[in-house]
Amino acid sequence: MFKKEIKDLTIKFLVVLIILTGLFIFIFASKDSIIESTRALSNTTIPLLGNGEQYEILAQKLEDFNFYVQSQWYAKNSGQFIPFISIIFAFSIFALETDKKTFYFLLNIIDRKKIFFIKTFSVFFMIFLLMLIIFFMPLIFAFNNEFNILLSIRYLISFLIGAFLWGSISIFFSIFFNDSLKSFFSSIIALTLTTIIGIMPLFNFFNTFLYVLNPFGSSFWLFTFLYLILGVTVLLFSRRYFLNKDL
Amino acid sequence: MMEANNKMSLLQINSLKKVYRFGHRALKKISFEINEGEIFVLLGPNGAGKTTTIKSLLGIVNSGGEIFFKGSLLNNKIILENFSFLPEEKNLYENMTVGSLIKEIVSYNKNFDLIKIRDYLNRFDIQNNKTIKKLSNGNKTILFLSIVLSKNAELYILDEPMANLDPLTTKFFLNEFRNFSYEGKSILYSTHILSHAEKISDRIAILREGKIVVCDNIDNLKTLYKAYVYNGDLPDYVSKISVTDTDFLYIIKEEMNEQYLKDFPNMIEEKLGFEDIFEIIAGGNLKNV
């Protein structure tokens, strides 16, 4: 059934990949104009946003390809999609089978433990593949630049961990609800609520965007560890719930 | 474990009960036994608990009670290796082709006999390269049934297997089930179609409101009760079905027969059909007289 699952996820994979590729091309094709427009702001003073000098410094930094990739591609654009990509891949993986009542057919062939393993593995295989593609995409434009991808390796870690956490949460909702729509909206609501709560400094941990978009903070390794533990716990709980669920 | 007819007990179900959320008691401690090579038919009105019984046996829903397979407590491994199940909802993966579905099945479970599946599909001219969503409802049922029957199992659990099938195909599969039982394989068959039960069952169980009301073979049931048409009222405690506005069919237990004939000599004996017995039992009108 692994082949079937991968085939089912391929359409989502291609749609997400096309959107990200479009975004990627746009960001890198408009590098010069982004730098120019940032520099143009140095002649103006915008209240609250700071004086022109800062824009000049920013424009100079953006000329460095490593900085440009980190700020414009990883942090500002692709990084925002990470939790959503996980939710899109995971929300229907179990719920659709319950919805369409195809679990009964599956249970004739393999047991619940294997079903859980195959489905979970397929989802994370596709999600992680996309994370790798997102991470390595800038190499396409790197041939003329002094680009050191190792400087950005923390982004790869934060993408993988963030994607794993939201994949696990969405898998749980997919098992808990017998309806794909409920599973999707529950995941989105959970993401929204945790993000809002996480705006308060004391509850930063809940805001996974802060972690994914800025992996250079002092709590990076602690949060990496905690998110990993949380993801594994949710996944183990989901497995237990699935093995005992009335289908 | 040895039955009177020398058949070994394959499955023993003791006090099976299931309470759904909000307290609905779908099964109220039902017990029965399925023997090797036996076709055991579950009958009952909608909501009687037939599908819940099947799902409980398969561990699809959690339930109370004990189930033994050949004397061992039933577990998931036994179910996967020895049972083959056709659900009421015969839904397959619509976007797959018949061939790719079969390939996947065989690659994951060696208990399925590829040649047997192909034989069934060739017989009904279902081609490998066809997408499942393009098959008619009847052909989808045939495909599902072919897959289920191609598994080398000891117990085939079939929930409404003949839905959407034409009479010729139905006849073929009913014969096939009988052949399976000759080979020593057992079948648990849930249906609404009484003629199928009459044709192939070795024993039936009639469920009503989560309880087994009767578990016997149909011939025994027919001899157990006598039916009479009478245009008047018998005492309230006699089971009664309306035939016309004035005539009623009364069902009386064989052992009470003489007594009633003495008291109501105008009663006319009627040949009792299985449908009449089912109507009385499943309708909840069987009275213990």
Side-chain angles (χ1 to χ4, degrees):
Chain A
M1 292 290 124
F2 177 65
K3 258 195 246 168
K4 181 211 149 273
E5 296 298 342
I6 294 294
K7 214 175 162 188
D8 287 350
L9 293 169
T10 301
I11 295 172
K12 288 180 182 178
F13 183 86
L14 290 176
V15 171
V16 174
L17 189 63
I18 288 167
I19 292 170
L20 287 171
T21 308
L23 189 66
F24 173 78
I25 291 169
F26 174 77
I27 285 164
F28 285 89
S30 53
K31 183 179 173 226
D32 290 341
S33 59
I34 287 174
I35 294 170
E36 280 312 305
S37 54
T38 309
R39 188 159 280 135
L41 289 171
S42 64
N43 300 322
T44 57
T45 302
I46 302 167
L48 299 174
L49 291 179
N51 59 31
E53 235 176 83
Q54 283 172 319
Y55 289 101
E56 180 52 38
I57 294 166
L58 182 60
Q60 280 172 15
K61 277 186 175 175
L62 285 172
E63 280 174 357
D64 171 19
F65 192 72
N66 287 300
F67 182 79
Y68 188 80
V69 168
Q70 285 185 356
S71 62
Q72 302 302 302
W73 174 240
Y74 293 141
K76 205 171 166 186
N77 286 288
S78 64
Q80 315 260 12
F81 289 100
I82 305 303
F84 295 103
I85 290 173
S86 292
I87 290 171
I88 286 167
F89 275 88
F91 81 92
S92 63
I93 192 78
F94 287 90
L96 203 63
E97 299 271 3
T98 327
D99 235 358
K100 295 195 167 175
K101 297 186 190 299
T102 41
F103 261 130
Y104 306 135
F105 167 72
L106 265 189
L107 287 169
N108 245 336
I109 301 159
I110 43 178
D111 62 15
R112 290 195 195 207
K113 283 180 188 166
K114 265 193 191 149
I115 293 174
F116 183 85
F117 175 76
I118 290 169
K119 284 187 171 290
T120 309
F121 184 78
S122 311
V123 164
F124 285 123
F125 176 79
M126 293 303 247
I127 292 174
F128 290 161
L129 189 61
L130 260 175
M131 296 304 116
L132 291 173
I133 291 172
I134 291 170
F135 181 71
F136 286 109
M137 261 186 184
L139 285 176
I140 299 169
F141 283 86
F143 53 87
N144 269 340
N145 300 287
E146 285 180 16
F147 180 55
N148 186 355
I149 203 158
L150 291 176
L151 292 177
S152 304
I153 203 79
R154 280 192 179 202
Y155 275 105
L156 178 62
I157 296 168
S158 73
F159 283 8
L160 291 174
I161 296 292
F164 172 67
L165 177 66
W166 282 103
S168 301
I169 291 170
S170 199
I171 281 173
F172 169 74
F173 285 127
S174 187
I175 293 168
F176 187 78
F177 292 110
N178 295 333
D179 178 326
S180 308
L181 273 180
K182 279 184 191 167
S183 156
F184 177 73
F185 285 115
S186 305
S187 306
I188 294 292
I189 289 168
L191 179 62
T192 312
L193 287 177
T194 51
T195 306
I196 292 169
I197 293 168
I199 290 171
M200 292 180 274
L202 196 62
F203 299 108
N204 271 353
F205 173 76
F206 290 100
N207 189 342
T208 36
F209 284 108
L210 292 178
Y211 166 80
V212 170
L213 303 181
N214 180 20
F216 298 102
S218 56
S219 313
F220 176 74
W221 291 112
L222 175 69
F223 280 17
T224 299
F225 176 72
L226 292 177
Y227 286 140
L228 187 65
I229 297 290
L230 185 61
V232 171
T233 308
V234 172
L235 209 55
L236 289 175
F237 180 75
S238 306
R239 181 179 181 272
R240 195 185 162 87
Y241 189 79
F242 177 67
L243 296 185
N244 295 303
K245 191 190 173 192
D246 281 1
L247 292 174
Chain B
M1 286 290 166
M2 190 77 79
E3 286 292 295
N5 56 4
N6 283 337
K7 281 186 174 176
M8 288 287 286
S9 167
L10 185 76
L11 199 70
Q12 173 99 40
I13 292 116
N14 297 334
S15 302
L16 195 65
K17 58 181 177 178
K18 171 69 188 171
V19 182
Y20 281 112
R21 269 192 291 181
F22 310 115
H24 171 59
R25 292 169 70 204
L27 295 178
K28 298 167 187 167
K29 292 192 173 183
I30 67 168
S31 301
F32 60 96
E33 198 170 34
I34 300 174
N35 299 317
E36 281 182 359
E38 182 178 44
I39 300 181
F40 188 93
V41 176
L42 278 181
L43 289 166
N46 291 332
K50 303 189 294 291
T51 299
T52 305
T53 304
I54 287 176
K55 286 182 176 175
S56 300
L57 287 183
L58 291 160
I60 291 173
V61 298
N62 296 297
S63 53
E66 285 177 325
I67 306 171
F68 295 96
F69 178 81
K70 291 184 169 176
S72 304
L73 203 59
L74 193 66
N75 58 39
N76 287 333
K77 190 169 180 277
I78 292 176
I79 292 171
L80 192 63
E81 286 174 3
N82 299 286
F83 293 6
S84 191
F85 167 52
L86 180 81
E88 191 179 13
E89 303 91 352
K90 290 150 192 76
N91 298 340
L92 296 164
Y93 299 112
E94 298 275 309
N95 292 324
M96 288 180 94
T97 62
V98 172
S100 57
L101 180 77
I102 293 168
K103 236 190 233 175
E104 285 271 286
I105 293 168
V106 177
S107 70
Y108 274 91
N109 192 321
K110 304 292 173 214
N111 266 356
F112 286 89
D113 183 343
L114 186 61
I115 297 167
K116 211 168 176 181
I117 302 180
R118 294 251 154 90
D119 280 350
Y120 282 127
L121 298 185
N122 287 340
R123 170 181 285 275
F124 294 101
D125 200 23
I126 297 174
Q127 282 140 14
N128 269 337
N129 58 0
K130 252 203 163 167
T131 314
I132 292 169
K133 68 179 165 203
K134 287 185 181 162
L135 296 175
S136 67
N137 284 336
N139 277 350
K140 281 179 193 168
T141 304
I142 292 173
L143 172 61
F144 208 142
L145 201 46
S146 305
I147 292 166
V148 169
L149 296 181
S150 303
K151 188 172 174 182
N152 294 317
E154 293 200 48
L155 177 65
Y156 294 83
I157 299 177
L158 312 172
D159 198 352
E160 297 290 352
M162 300 309 177
N164 304 317
L165 297 186
D166 64 63
L168 281 178
T169 311
T170 301
K171 193 176 173 192
F172 169 79
F173 279 113
L174 286 176
N175 286 335
E176 199 67 357
F177 300 157
R178 184 42 70 196
N179 292 335
F180 272 47
S181 89
Y182 292 149
E183 289 168 18
K185 294 171 174 181
S186 308
I187 292 174
L188 174 62
Y189 186 113
S190 165
T191 184
H192 285 111
I193 306 170
L194 300 179
S195 60
H196 293 174
E198 236 180 322
K199 192 167 180 193
I200 65 160
S201 70
D202 293 315
R203 278 188 308 141
I204 61 157
I206 298 180
L207 279 138
R208 189 181 142 72
E209 292 172 357
K211 281 185 191 162
I212 289 185
V213 203
V214 160
C215 185
D216 208 333
N217 74 47
I218 289 178
D219 289 338
N220 278 354
L221 283 179
K222 282 180 180 171
T223 55
L224 199 61
Y225 301 102
K226 289 276 177 199
Y228 295 94
V229 173
Y230 185 55
N231 62 358
D233 284 335
L234 288 189
D236 280 348
Y237 48 82
V238 182
S239 306
K240 172 167 96 170
I241 311 173
S242 236
V243 180
T244 66
D245 284 347
T246 50
D247 288 349
F248 298 100
L249 186 71
Y250 289 96
I251 311 275
I252 296 165
K253 265 197 173 168
E254 215 269 338
E255 66 227 43
M256 305 293 287
N257 208 19
E258 261 180 49
Q259 178 65 44
Y260 280 102
L261 277 178
K262 210 193 268 176
D263 295 345
F264 305 96
N266 294 334
M267 295 198 306
I268 303 161
E269 188 168 351
E270 187 75 3
K271 195 166 187 281
L272 188 62
F274 178 54
E275 279 185 33
D276 303 317
I277 298 175
F278 180 77
E279 189 179 337
I280 284 283
I281 296 172
N285 297 320
L286 184 66
K287 293 172 181 165
N288 201 22
V289 285

